[in-house]
Amino acid sequence: MFLSKLKIPDELEKATFAFDKDGIVFFISGFEQFFANSAKDLMHKNYLNIFATEYTKRIKEEEKKLTNKNKTTHLTIQLNNDTKTKRILTLSILLDKTGKHIGYIGELELDKEEQKSCIEKAESSYKEFLDNIPIGIYRTTIDGKLIFANKQLLKIFNYPNKSDFKDVTKTFVDKNYRKQKLNQWIEQGEYSDEFQIKTSDNKIVYVRDAGHLVKENGKPAYFDGALEDITDKKILEKRLNELNTSKNKFFSILSHDLKGAFGQFIGATDLILDEINNFDKEQIENIVQLLNEQAERSYKLLENLLDWSKSQEGILKFQPEPINLSVLIKEIIEYYNQTAKKKSINLYSELKDTLIVYADKYMLSTVLRNLISNALKFTPEGGSVIVSACELIDKENYGNKVLEISVKDTGVGIEKERIEHLFNMEGNYSTKGTGGELGTGLGLILCKEFIEKHGGKIWVESELGKGSTFKFTIP
């Protein structure tokens, strides 16, 4: 048994003493485990003081027999401070260098029944200790058969008891991982690896496994090790990597967009300074219009930047409430009417006047403004932008209804390779619209953040030259 290999407690070890022919102790070792007093307190006293009174007469008789027979004798006795535990007393003749009898040597140890009882208590104690460790402890054969498992190991693999868990090789997500590592583990004699395992309920868990090889008769026999569930740590590492990537991409987008905005702004002001005396009224109006557009775009970039940073830090609180969606969209359409008229775009809503949605008004408004603004940006003159909505059955939560809102345009469409990056930092840069308009780059990323806070999804259906339809759901 695995636990029986552990160190036996001190009470199972032997105690030795030597006394002269008069019974006076002159050597003693190991008695501290049997008595509260020290070995020094037992020195130079009669050895019979060690034993319970009812056994002293028998011990003296055996001592006399030894003197005559020059042999060793064994007696079952009890110590004077213990009326329950039985011990074996072994007495042997003690001779000097000339062979003269000068005394006796005594040795004490538990009898077999008491040893068995002590071993069982020790094993129970160690098992309880191992079960309380918050790391999985195990012993397996070389071919992966489970010999010992503490409670935490069973918990990691989601097995109620050890009898249900017999073979660790079947738990590896990568079926070839253990086969590929086995020779290395045996050769090095120890190992420390991280990999994925599958629990009894088919859940995938990341673990760190560290252990060493145990040999018997010089041959590999077992692996003893400790297994730790590091799934939460892996998720945190992944999240930190994603945040780090997002941060880098964010600065790339920000610098790209700001550079474009300020580049045109500086170019326009330089032109004014150089040619101010040569411009007529119409030319000045066109340049001022350009400056105004760049200022609005920079302001929108800062708005989106502020919202995104608040969302990331958790400052922007999610506060849903009943909202008349029709009224909200009409207000946004009215805001963008002037922009639509400039490009002769037909911007309108197909929503019913009484459509109510439970959502965060500020976030939903931000999403709709970004989607409508983008649709106008990429729709050529004479085109159309339509906002609509319909109720659907949620496929993932059957029986629940979700509201699907669409912003459809007759614009230029989007390349397939760009679609997968529209809602994340990876490869997301603003592009010029059909009228040379520039976007902020952060708009769709912000839309995704806000829709996911509602428990919804956002996606796009698009084909080059045939326009795009951005859709999102609100549960």
Side-chain angles (χ1 to χ4, degrees), residues 46 49 78 106 113-114 128 149 171 177 187 208 211 216 238 252 281 293-294 319 333 360 402 414 421 446 474:
N46 193 293
N49 292 335
Q78 289 177 337
E113 288 299 318
E114 291 293 340
E128 183 179 356
T171 65
Y177 186 86
E187 184 179 340
R208 179 184 292 114
E216 287 189 353
K238 183 181 178 183
S252 295
K281 183 179 179 182
E293 289 173 359
Q294 293 305 319
Q319 298 177 321
I333 287 176
D360 183 295
V402 296
I414 307 167
H421 299 307
L446 193 61
I474 299 290

Side-chain angles (χ1 to χ4, degrees), residues 330-369:
K330 281 181 180 179
E331 290 173 356
I332 296 171
I333 287 176
E334 186 176 340
Y335 178 81
Y336 284 107
N337 258 336
Q338 190 62 33
T339 303
K341 285 179 181 179
K342 283 182 183 180
K343 296 178 72 174
S344 300
I345 293 173
N346 187 17
L347 172 61
Y348 62 96
S349 167
E350 293 183 339
L351 270 69
K352 297 177 181 178
D353 292 337
T354 56
L355 187 57
I356 304 297
V357 63
Y358 190 71
D360 183 295
K361 186 175 182 178
Y362 178 79
M363 292 184 182
L364 185 57
S365 177
T366 301
V367 171
L368 289 166
R369 281 190 287 106

Side-chain angles (χ1 to χ4, degrees), residues 249-304:
K249 291 295 177 182
F250 168 74
F251 283 120
S252 295
I253 292 171
L254 188 60
S255 60
H256 178 274
D257 288 348
L258 285 175
K259 184 178 179 181
F262 282 103
Q264 289 202 13
F265 199 91
I266 292 169
T269 55
D270 284 344
L271 185 62
I272 292 174
L273 290 172
D274 292 340
E275 303 291 338
I276 187 68
N277 294 324
N278 301 323
F279 284 154
D280 57 27
K281 183 179 179 182
E282 185 179 352
Q283 288 174 315
I284 292 174
E285 285 179 352
N286 288 337
I287 293 174
V288 171
Q289 178 64 35
L290 176 64
L291 290 174
N292 179 259
E293 289 173 359
Q294 293 305 319
E296 284 186 356
R297 177 178 173 272
S298 297
Y299 181 76
K300 186 176 180 182
L301 171 62
L302 292 175
E303 250 189 345
N304 280 338

